[in-house]
Amino acid sequence: MAGVSLKCGDCGTLLKSVEEAQEHAELTKHTDFQESTEAVLNLVCVTCGKPCRSKTESDLHTKRTGHTEFSDKTSETTKPIALEVAKNPSSTDVDMVDASSSGEPEEMVVPDVDAKLLEELESMGFSKERSTRALHFSGNSSLEAAANWIVEHENDADIDQMPLVSAKSKSEPPKPSLTPEERKAKAQELIERARKKKEEEERRMEREREKERIRIGRELLEAKRMEEENERKRIIALRKAEKEEEKRAREKIRQKLEEDKAERRRKLGLPAEDPTAPKPAAPVVEEKKSSLPVRPATKIEQMRECLRSLKQSNKDDDAKVKTAFNTLLTYVKNAATKPEEEKFRKIRLSNAAFQDRVGKLEGGIKFLELCGFEKIEGDEFLFLARDKIDKAVLMSAGGELNSAINNPFFGVL
């Protein structure tokens, strides 16, 4: 396919004719041009009719005038480029076009650059390819210009590729290089500039990291707050459920008492009690001191009170209460059924398991003492003497323990 434009091999600009290529060469000193099948854009503003040759030019026109509609007439104006034009025999660019149109393959060589500037760039740590490319495209003007070009084009995909130009193109003689003092000052300036740029980038990254740390910290605090709030709500709901359960248990006991009372009235042949009838006020009885002795609490009542105290003091830990009751039941059962074996009638008070299950709990040791156990050897042991075993007392103690274990309402009221 015939070429429809000329492309500058140095900067990539598309040109519509040889005349434009000559003007471009005079302005930029670029000498490497090739035919291209890529057409030059022709975007015409619908509002004012201004032609634009690139998307960048149309964007600038929109920014200046506010015109946003463009008509693409590239296909209408595209035509094969004419290379046969009157040319100046001394023009390097026209010689290049003639050579490319002759059909002969063009020899490509590495461009000539200032050897001293190249050596200085390599001593600063840049590769030979990158240094040569920077000197070539910056016109061999100065060390600073080459370094600036490297900074501006460090992200180019071909920055580390050796540049090639036509062997017939003639590069301008290199300009005089800087003096050693100037080169040293420029190198120091470039190094200082690169150092400042690196420090600024590190400060920016540190600010970003600090912002990220603050954001993560806030999220963690919020998550912790929500977790604590949910835990608080869960505890409140649990306590409310416990109170409701206790209320239902009390109501159940009250109903049971009412049913027992009604059953007793029925057995006695009394009419059922009317719940709506007002209850007679209890007569005021003048308190009198009785001369009769008060009956002391029986041993069974004392046992029951010990078990009630044990449950009340550990009402928030049902598992611990149940373990204590079962342990006491085991001691009582072994003493009653195997009285001949001393190991079932002797308990070491310092035993860790005994202390955890019974010894540390209120009423535990007192209950065993009511069963007949006594402290001996400087309160080191609880011992039930063989001749002091009272099976009736032990059986009563076992009955109280079974009642406490199986009755869910034991110790509630």
Side-chain angles (χ1 to χ4, degrees):
M1 179 178 179
V4 295
S5 65
L6 287 174
K7 186 173 184 179
C8 177
D10 296 323
C11 63
T13 302
L14 291 175
L15 306 162
K16 297 172 68 174
S17 63
V18 175
E19 289 81 0
E20 288 187 2
Q22 292 174 345
E23 294 177 2
H24 182 76
E26 293 174 0
L27 292 173
T28 63
K29 306 301 181 183
H30 296 168
T31 58
D32 183 16
F33 295 89
Q34 299 289 339
E35 283 187 82
S36 174
T37 57
E38 185 178 355
V40 180
L41 288 179
N42 186 16
L43 303 175
V44 180
C45 178
V46 175
T47 305
C48 63
K50 175 178 174 59
C52 299
R53 298 180 57 174
S54 66
K55 187 67 170 60
T56 302
E57 189 175 347
S58 65
D59 291 342
L60 290 174
H61 180 70
T62 300
K63 189 173 182 180
R64 294 194 198 98
T65 64
H67 302 164
T68 58
E69 295 186 11
F70 294 86
S71 176
D72 190 352
K73 297 186 178 180
T74 303
S75 59
E76 299 177 7
T77 57
T78 300
K79 57 183 180 178
I81 191 168
L83 300 179
E84 293 77 11
V85 294
K87 53 187 180 295
N88 185 352
S90 62
S91 174
T92 304
D93 299 314
V94 179
D95 290 341
M96 181 276 298
V97 174
D98 287 339
S100 64
S101 63
S102 64
E104 297 178 0
E106 215 173 351
E107 182 183 0
M108 306 298 289
V109 296
V110 177
D112 293 332
V113 295
D114 190 307
K116 292 184 178 179
L117 294 179
L118 178 62
E119 182 180 355
E120 291 174 5
L121 285 173
E122 289 180 349
S123 66
M124 294 173 64
F126 299 114
S127 65
K128 182 176 181 180
E129 292 79 4
R130 185 175 296 200
S131 302
T132 303
R133 198 174 191 85
L135 289 171
H136 173 64
F137 288 117
S138 62
N140 284 307
S141 57
S142 65
L143 182 65
E144 182 179 4
N148 290 336
W149 188 94
I150 292 176
V151 172
E152 293 173 359
H153 296 80
E154 61 180 352
N155 294 324
D156 292 356
D158 57 352
I159 191 170
D160 289 317
Q161 296 179 6
M162 185 67 74
L164 298 175
V165 297
S166 173
K168 296 182 179 180
S169 62
K170 296 181 180 179
S171 58
E172 294 183 346
K175 297 181 178 180
S177 60
L178 301 175
T179 63
E181 291 77 11
E182 291 176 334
R183 286 199 301 271
K184 185 175 180 181
K186 288 294 182 181
Q188 186 64 31
E189 180 183 352
L190 291 174
I191 292 172
E192 184 66 20
R193 187 184 304 172
R195 184 185 62 80
K196 289 182 178 180
K197 183 177 180 181
K198 183 178 180 181
E199 290 178 353
E200 179 63 27
E201 181 65 17
E202 289 178 351
R203 287 194 293 268
R204 185 187 68 81
M205 293 299 295
E206 182 61 28
R207 289 194 296 270
E208 293 296 328
R209 287 193 292 268
E210 183 64 24
K211 290 180 181 178
E212 184 66 13
R213 284 195 294 269
I214 294 174
R215 183 187 66 81
I216 293 175
R218 288 177 178 174
E219 290 181 355
L220 290 175
L221 288 176
E222 181 64 17
K224 184 177 180 181
R225 186 191 66 78
M226 292 183 64
E227 183 180 357
E228 292 175 350
E229 179 68 16
N230 292 335
E231 181 65 16
R232 186 181 66 82
K233 291 180 179 179
R234 188 187 68 80
I235 293 175
I236 291 175
L238 183 61
R239 289 179 178 174
K240 184 176 179 181
E242 290 176 351
K243 289 182 179 180
E244 291 293 333
E245 183 65 25
E246 184 176 352
K247 183 178 179 181
R248 286 194 295 270
R250 291 178 181 272
E251 181 64 22
K252 189 174 181 180
I253 294 173
R254 188 190 64 78
Q255 291 178 359
K256 181 65 176 175
L257 293 175
E258 291 292 336
E259 291 174 359
D260 292 345
K261 183 178 180 181
E263 181 64 20
R264 287 195 299 271
R265 291 180 65 87
R266 186 185 64 78
K267 289 181 178 180
L268 294 173
L270 297 176
E273 186 177 6
D274 185 5
T276 60
K279 295 182 180 180
V284 179
V285 180
E286 183 178 355
E287 182 179 357
K288 295 180 180 180
K289 291 184 179 180
S290 175
S291 59
L292 297 176
V294 178
R295 181 178 66 85
T298 65
K299 186 172 289 189
I300 294 177
E301 290 174 345
Q302 293 177 15
M303 291 179 180
R304 188 180 301 125
E305 183 60 30
C306 287
L307 297 179
R308 185 180 294 109
S309 298
L310 192 151
K311 184 169 184 178
Q312 287 290 337
S313 61
N314 298 277
K315 60 183 179 180
D316 295 330
D317 195 343
D318 291 339
K320 181 182 289 187
V321 172
K322 189 172 182 180
T323 300
F325 286 171
N326 285 322
T327 303
L328 290 172
L329 183 60
T330 300
Y331 288 140
V332 171
K333 180 180 177 183
N334 289 337
T337 58
K338 302 175 183 179
E340 66 281 356
E341 298 187 33
E342 183 179 328
K343 65 179 182 179
F344 294 124
R345 295 184 284 107
K346 192 172 184 180
I347 305 171
R348 184 183 294 273
L349 290 174
S350 60
N351 183 274
F354 172 78
Q355 285 294 324
D356 289 338
R357 298 178 181 180
V358 176
K360 292 182 180 179
L361 305 185
E362 181 180 348
I365 294 179
K366 185 177 180 182
F367 182 88
L368 291 173
E369 290 176 338
L370 290 171
C371 293
F373 285 85
E374 297 178 347
K375 293 181 180 179
I376 63 172
E377 298 182 17
D379 294 344
E380 185 177 355
F381 294 94
L382 275 175
F383 182 69
L384 178 59
R386 179 70 178 83
D387 57 347
K388 291 185 179 181
I389 294 177
D390 188 341
K391 288 195 175 184
V393 173
L394 295 177
M395 294 299 291
S396 299
E400 291 299 321
L401 286 167
N402 279 319
S403 176
I405 293 171
N406 298 320
N407 183 6
F409 305 111
F410 179 81
V412 175
L413 298 178

